[in-house]
Amino acid sequence: KKNKNWFHSAVGYQIYPKSFKDSNGDGIGDIQGIIEKLTYLKKLGVDFIWLNPIYKSPQFDGGYDIADYYAIDEMFGSLDDFKILLTKAHEVGIKVIMDLVVNHTSDQHPWFLESKKSKDNPYRDYYLWQEATDKKMPNDWISFFGGSAWTYDEATRQAYFHVFAKEQPDLNWKNPKVRAEIYRMIRWWLELGIDGFRLDAISHIQKEPWDFKIKSWKGDGPWQPFMNVAGIEQYMDDLKKIFDEYGALTVGEASGVRSHQASSWTNDSGYINMIFELEHNTRKPNSDGTGSIYAYKKVIMRWQEDLQAEGWNALYLENHDQPRSIDTFGDGSLESAKALAVSYMLLRGTPFIYQGQEFGMTNFPFTDSSQLRAEEVKNHYQALLTENLSADDALKKVTAGSREHARTPLQWSLDENAGFTTGQSWMEINPNFKTVNSENLSELTELYQRLIQLRHDEKAISDGSVRFHFARHLQAFVYERDEFLIMVNLGTKKAHLNFDTTSVSTDRNYQHILGSADRQFQTKMLLEAWEYHVYQKI
Ligand code: TEU
Ligand code: CA
């Protein structure tokens, strides 16, 4: 019988297919490209891959605008290609999970095209329409991508609701027909043999009544009407039942589910297996777009502690929505990337590695607006120009902290086009690929391999408890996982650690498992910039 909690010792790898590997020279990454790299992934040691959306889509929002839930977008290949990927991945013991985008569809989805036709169209109630005028929207709620969350339709004199772009109308989850369609689709993919889903923006499927008043426009205030709103339980319960039937692996992107609520979402009877917290990305970024390590550390510690008793975390440094961690939390150096790797890969939860993170891919040095690809970023840039910002300043502003950095093509080698494509890449390749590529920076990759191995082999790392020390230290990240002691200096200043002031039993013998320097454990440790160590009690 399968171990229900197999994912406790597993490591995931996130693939942004468009930028992973192009197999046919059209400049766009594709499914065959992923198949070509399965041996690479196997060698790295990951247990499953999560694919960002590859469904048929106008690609207004990187595929998060789906026009057909049952079709693979032609640019990625065909359903047959996908089936081959599934078979080959399973052959080498890698599971495959897909993105499940069910808060909204594309405005080009046949349901919406119908829905838009008239007020009495059978599909009208698949979406959220309300009376409006061209001057007055149903309420003052705003969308994540800026501007009103409503778009007025001249023809039917109503407005439809969207928490993201107007090209991504929200589905009406209250409509049982919509739910039935979604559940049918989920079963269809699970029947096909996929191993689970990453649930996109799942905490937004339930909305407050339209007359709900936004109390604060600061922080998370504007999102309160559609973040983890009461009533979402019934939908999550339905979903859970389907996932359980198939033993599907599920990881939720569930902003608004607070750390103290996340246990009940992710414990044995919870809706899903684990949650990506989004707080560590948004906490007090520095003015230059980099993150504050102390703010990051505090968020991580709180999630670890709040979920310790019964919940489960999804651990990550990077994804397709955030700049590269080596530049956000690190200082661009290989040493900083290594320290970051050690700091999060051994925490309690299931770690994810974002493509290229394992060999230190960096942010992109944007010099011209023609290098931008994401539509909402381009729109933001245009808006800033009309506010009289110079082109340079506007570009700086939209690229600081931008998701664009994560989406440049993978730098496989120092060959032409970084070995990503033989054609013209859809997005410019980072000019640093001659030094930063999977063949040149294997030192970092080897560290990831060892960390993955530790997760696979050591029960204390996969299922042990977690206990933090030096909680108020501004940059030292120190924790115990049962008999393991992990210490990382996440900064360039020296860190003095006196373990006599902690509950770490300093009279025990510690074996040095891995580290940036060869150093025995001492009760007083002085960690240089980005120094890290993992010790094991014997
Ligand atoms: O991101 C969604 C997302 O980040 C919000 O749900 C989040 O709750 C909000 O920004 C809180 O700060 C996902 C995808 O990862 C992203 O690429 C898509 O653009 C988006 O959904 C729309 O589908
Ligand atoms: Ca291609």
Side-chain angles (χ1 to χ4, degrees):
K1 196 170 175 276
K2 269 203 318 213
N3 170 13
K4 184 167 162 282
N5 287 337
W6 64 270
F7 57 86
H8 284 197
S9 61
V11 176
Y13 187 92
Q14 183 189 348
I15 292 182
Y16 191 74
K18 204 171 177 181
S19 296
F20 190 63
K21 177 74 176 87
D22 176 25
S23 71
N24 61 355
D26 66 356
I28 301 173
D30 46 49
I31 295 172
Q32 285 297 339
I34 301 173
I35 295 172
E36 281 176 28
K37 293 296 177 185
L38 280 173
T39 35
Y40 170 86
L41 296 170
K42 188 64 200 169
K43 196 166 159 232
L44 182 59
V46 297
D47 304 275
F48 66 95
I49 53 179
W50 150 33
L51 306 180
N52 282 111
I54 52 173
Y55 312 92
K56 186 175 173 208
S57 161
Q59 299 290 326
F60 182 86
D61 179 23
Y64 284 96
D65 46 326
I66 296 173
D68 184 348
Y69 284 111
Y70 297 91
I72 302 290
D73 198 286
E74 274 175 23
M75 73 177 180
F76 295 122
S78 65
L79 191 61
D80 281 334
D81 291 324
F82 182 74
K83 287 181 188 163
I84 296 169
L85 169 62
L86 262 188
T87 309
K88 297 217 161 161
H90 288 164
E91 268 168 23
V92 295
I94 293 178
K95 296 185 199 295
V96 180
I97 72 172
M98 289 182 88
D99 227 299
L100 181 68
V101 190
V102 291
N103 176 70
H104 47 270
T105 68
S106 161
D107 63 350
Q108 300 306 306
H109 193 290
W111 298 338
F112 190 73
L113 296 177
E114 282 301 311
S115 182
K116 225 185 141 178
K117 280 183 181 162
S118 68
K119 283 190 193 172
D120 54 12
N121 187 284
Y123 287 89
R124 189 67 167 183
D125 289 337
Y126 270 48
Y127 296 86
L128 300 162
W129 291 93
Q130 287 291 303
E131 294 299 331
T133 70
D134 55 352
K135 287 180 193 65
K136 196 162 169 16
M137 292 302 169
N139 60 33
D140 61 355
W141 302 0
I142 57 171
S143 85
F144 285 120
F145 288 165
S148 174
W150 297 93
T151 292
Y152 182 64
D153 174 52
E154 195 66 53
T156 58
R157 294 177 187 216
Q158 286 190 329
Y160 66 89
F161 182 78
H162 49 89
V163 301
F164 295 98
K166 68 178 193 313
E167 290 79 2
Q168 296 164 294
D170 279 39
L171 284 164
N172 177 13
W173 270 76
K174 291 198 166 53
N175 184 343
K177 284 192 202 143
V178 168
R179 298 202 299 274
E181 291 273 19
I182 298 293
Y183 301 159
R184 182 170 75 93
M185 178 272 289
I186 291 173
R187 286 175 190 284
W188 190 85
W189 283 102
L190 291 169
E191 288 290 339
L192 195 82
I194 70 164
D195 300 289
F197 291 105
R198 175 264 191 186
L199 284 63
D200 182 64
I202 197 66
S203 49
H204 308 320
I205 59 178
Q206 168 78 334
K207 281 80 169 156
E208 295 282 5
W210 301 126
D211 61 1
F212 177 94
K213 286 270 167 295
I214 291 172
K215 287 167 206 81
S216 159
W217 292 93
K218 288 198 207 103
D220 274 349
W223 323 128
Q224 292 317 304
F226 40 81
M227 280 225 297
N228 192 21
V229 170
I232 195 171
E233 307 82 33
Q234 46 173 327
Y235 309 140
M236 294 308 301
D237 263 331
D238 289 352
L239 291 170
K240 176 194 164 49
K241 282 190 195 113
I242 306 174
F243 298 145
D244 281 354
E245 256 178 67
Y246 292 85
L249 176 69
T250 49
V251 44
E253 188 207 34
S255 60
V257 177
R258 304 278 160 217
S259 55
H260 63 86
Q261 304 165 318
S263 281
S264 64
W265 276 59
T266 60
N267 63 19
D268 275 347
S269 53
Y271 307 131
I272 50 181
N273 296 138
M274 60 190 111
I275 284 188
F276 284 123
E277 51 77 24
L278 300 186
E279 289 178 56
H280 84 246
N281 299 310
T282 46
R283 276 305 163 98
K284 293 194 208 85
N286 302 326
S287 55
D288 61 356
T290 61
S292 142
I293 280 296
Y294 187 53
Y296 164 77
K297 171 178 155 173
K298 280 199 300 190
V299 169
I300 300 298
M301 286 188 346
R302 172 161 48 77
W303 277 81
Q304 288 283 304
E305 279 162 359
D306 284 356
L307 276 67
Q308 166 116 266
E310 49 176 15
W312 195 250
N313 272 293
L315 312 166
Y316 73 105
L317 289 175
E318 294 180 16
N319 62 31
H320 64 294
D321 288 334
Q322 302 298 329
R324 292 289 186 173
S325 63
I326 189 171
D327 291 316
T328 308
F329 299 115
D331 64 357
S333 68
L334 186 61
E335 287 68 34
S336 67
K338 287 179 165 178
L340 283 162
V342 175
S343 77
Y344 92 105
M345 285 286 293
L346 302 177
L347 288 167
R348 188 169 173 279
T350 301
F352 287 71
I353 300 167
Y354 179 67
Q355 61 180 38
Q357 179 190 325
E358 75 276 21
F359 54 86
M361 274 185 66
T362 70
N363 283 348
F364 184 87
F366 288 97
T367 52
D368 194 277
S369 64
S370 65
Q371 294 162 323
L372 301 175
R373 286 295 174 274
E375 296 300 333
E376 88 286 353
V377 177
K378 288 197 253 175
N379 290 345
H380 188 194
Y381 175 80
Q382 288 304 332
L384 291 176
L385 290 187
T386 60
E387 285 167 26
N388 284 327
L389 247 71
S390 74
D392 271 3
D393 288 347
L395 188 67
K396 255 194 210 113
K397 197 157 179 184
V398 299
T399 55
S402 169
R403 45 166 76 175
E404 294 278 76
H405 293 293
R407 300 183 177 184
T408 63
L410 215 73
Q411 296 158 213
W412 290 106
S413 66
L414 42 76
D415 295 346
E416 209 183 334
N417 300 319
F420 165 69
T421 179
T422 54
Q424 176 73 37
S425 171
W426 76 281
M427 188 179 192
E428 207 170 306
I429 292 165
N430 196 313
N432 68 10
F433 76 91
K434 297 242 147 92
T435 45
V436 180
N437 64 61
S438 76
E439 286 165 3
N440 203 31
L441 291 187
S442 51
E443 196 181 322
L444 178 57
T445 314
E446 279 157 23
L447 176 61
Y448 271 104
Q449 285 170 322
R450 282 213 59 195
L451 294 166
I452 294 171
Q453 203 63 52
L454 279 172
R455 292 211 70 99
H456 287 166
D457 296 347
E458 299 293 343
K459 193 91 182 138
I461 301 293
S462 60
D463 287 282
S465 64
V466 62
R467 179 194 274 183
F468 290 95
H469 299 288
F470 306 100
R472 285 200 295 277
H473 196 290
L474 291 184
Q475 65 195 67
F477 205 65
V478 183
Y479 58 96
E480 281 178 288
R481 299 294 317 279
D482 292 354
E483 76 262 25
F484 286 88
L485 174 64
I486 294 107
M487 61 182 85
V488 184
N489 184 5
L490 286 179
T492 50
K493 280 193 211 129
K494 290 182 179 24
H496 292 268
L497 304 176
N498 181 358
F499 283 90
D500 278 333
T501 65
T502 70
S503 61
V504 174
S505 63
T506 51
D507 56 337
R508 300 282 295 272
N509 272 332
Y510 277 100
Q511 201 181 339
H512 197 213
I513 298 293
L514 64 90
S516 50
D518 185 11
R519 185 163 300 181
Q520 287 313 303
F521 176 73
Q522 288 166 323
T523 51
K524 290 194 175 63
M525 302 279 301
L526 171 61
L527 301 186
E528 304 287 339
W530 309 115
E531 187 169 336
Y532 60 82
H533 298 287
V534 178
Y535 296 101
Q536 185 178 17
K537 278 181 203 167
I538 39 174

